[in-house]
Amino acid sequence: MTLRRAITRPCRDAGTATVEDGIVLLDGPDGVAVAMTADAAEQTAHSLLAAAAQARGQGPTTRQEAGDGGTAH
């Protein structure tokens, strides 16, 4: 099973990015932690923004944000 299939409900909590010794650290919900170079972090940011824009145009995400039963992590 892939990770995408294992995730059944989206989290509403955002991750927090910080910098330590020139490395970007992303702390996310449910213990997610990622260390990236500046270039990788920038590419990830662009990818996340593009995916968020696409998700906003899809019905289920919009309804969950409106509060019809999405998980409130």
Side-chain angles (χ1 to χ4, degrees), residues 9-38:
R9 296 184 185 148
C11 287
R12 293 182 178 181
D13 295 338
T16 302
T18 57
V19 177
E20 187 173 314
D21 297 325
I23 300 297
V24 177
L25 305 172
L26 177 61
D27 293 316
D30 294 334
V32 171
V34 179
M36 294 179 264
T37 64

Side-chain angles (χ1 to χ4, degrees), residues 26 41 43-54:
L26 177 61
Q43 291 172 9
T44 300
H46 289 297
S47 175
L48 284 168
L49 287 170
Q54 183 178 0

Side-chain angles (χ1 to χ4, degrees), residues 46-70:
H46 289 297
S47 175
L48 284 168
L49 287 170
Q54 183 178 0
R56 288 188 189 283
Q58 296 178 2
T61 301
T62 304
R63 285 194 299 272
Q64 287 175 355
E65 287 176 358
D68 81 337

